[in-house]
Amino acid sequence: MHTHYVVCNIVNHHNRPMSISKTRQLLVDVARQLFAKNGLESTTMNDIAQASGKGRRTLYTYFKSKEDIYYAVIETELERLSEKLDEVAARKISPQDKVIELIYTHLSMIRETVVRNGNLRAEFFRNIWMVEKVRKHFDLAEVELFRKVFTEGKEDGEFDIENVNLVADITHYCIKGLEVPYIYGRIAHGMKEEDTKPQVAKFVYGALGKHRV
């Protein structure tokens, strides 16, 4: 507990009033650390209040329950992933390469997020319905990202796609279905990313209707 309290004091070391957004983010960050260390079930609202140094009244001002702050933690983690995907989509690379980079970025970021959250990682699977509820907006945003990339590739003559929306949906759900086996290392076990990318690219390019020259 003392470590978390020290961290909070460092964040606000001049004792200036924190803005609403910073206070909320602090509570979310502290909650994530406690969830990761002790698990969701073993962490109480009182634990979060004490570790943040903000008190129960402040905590309940922002979050009605532990489930609310858990949703906020997952949402924040998904925002990290979404920002990374946006960075990939903005790169000056071909639509074909962009699709592969989006796929690998999605999977590697999901794995990194689950691994770095310690005991919280079990909740990603035990409470999958909770995670699904929170990630709905992320999923829609990712589908839209693929629509844009596929449209760009179609207009450039790189992809032979009749229905961009359908292909974007299928791509998203295929990647989503790979998350758990990828996290557990059940896909391409023992292989490095540079070894798998050419094979994945060949498969994806073929599915998009045009082989890479």
Side-chain angles (χ1 to χ4, degrees):
M1 295 295 182
H2 296 301
T3 301
H4 292 297
Y5 188 75
V6 169
V7 170
C8 296
N9 282 338
I10 290 173
V11 172
N12 196 25
H13 59 285
H14 293 301
N15 293 320
R16 290 192 297 262
M18 297 181 74
S19 69
I20 291 176
S21 60
K22 286 185 177 179
T23 299
R24 185 181 186 280
Q25 189 56 52
L26 170 65
L27 294 170
V28 171
D29 289 342
V30 170
R32 186 194 66 78
Q33 293 176 57
L34 290 177
F35 290 155
K37 181 180 179 182
N38 305 318
L40 180 63
E41 295 300 322
S42 300
T43 301
T44 66
M45 290 290 274
N46 194 50
D47 291 335
I48 298 169
Q50 288 184 1
S52 67
K54 289 296 176 182
R56 288 172 60 85
R57 180 176 294 182
T58 299
L59 179 59
Y60 278 101
T61 297
Y62 293 95
F63 303 101
K64 295 179 181 179
S65 65
K66 185 171 66 174
E67 283 67 32
D68 277 354
I69 199 166
Y70 172 70
Y71 289 147
V73 168
I74 301 301
E75 208 165 42
T76 299
E77 294 297 279
L78 290 173
E79 284 172 3
R80 290 177 61 248
L81 172 55
S82 188
E83 288 172 2
K84 198 69 177 177
L85 292 175
D86 286 341
E87 288 177 13
V88 173
R91 289 181 191 170
K92 300 299 183 182
I93 55 179
S94 71
Q96 291 180 329
D97 290 339
K98 199 172 288 187
V99 171
I100 302 303
E101 289 303 316
L102 285 171
I103 292 172
Y104 273 85
T105 298
H106 176 120
L107 294 174
S108 62
M109 284 291 290
I110 284 286
R111 181 166 61 186
E112 185 269 334
T113 296
V114 172
V115 170
R116 87 187 186 96
N117 279 297
N119 288 328
L120 180 60
R121 63 180 176 267
E123 306 302 332
F124 281 81
F125 305 116
R126 268 206 304 266
N127 292 326
I128 195 68
W129 66 271
M130 293 174 70
V131 176
E132 283 296 305
K133 180 180 178 181
V134 180
R135 71 176 285 174
K136 181 178 179 180
H137 295 297
F138 164 78
D139 287 346
L140 291 173
E142 182 175 61
V143 170
E144 181 59 31
L145 205 59
F146 275 110
R147 284 194 191 111
K148 290 180 179 178
V149 175
F150 289 148
T151 298
E152 177 187 352
K154 182 177 181 179
E155 291 174 349
D156 290 347
E158 296 295 327
F159 303 145
D160 182 15
I161 302 174
E162 289 185 15
N163 191 316
V164 169
N165 292 339
L166 176 61
V167 176
D169 285 339
I170 292 174
T171 303
H172 165 73
Y173 284 109
C174 283
I175 299 170
K176 194 171 179 180
L178 291 172
E179 289 175 357
V180 174
Y182 189 83
I183 289 168
Y184 284 118
R186 294 170 184 162
I187 297 177
H189 180 67
M191 294 182 69
K192 296 180 180 179
E193 188 174 301
E194 55 265 31
D195 298 324
T196 62
K197 269 190 176 181
Q199 296 178 55
V200 172
K202 185 177 181 181
F203 177 81
V204 172
Y205 296 156
L208 292 175
K210 186 174 182 179
H211 296 290
R212 187 173 187 178
V213 179

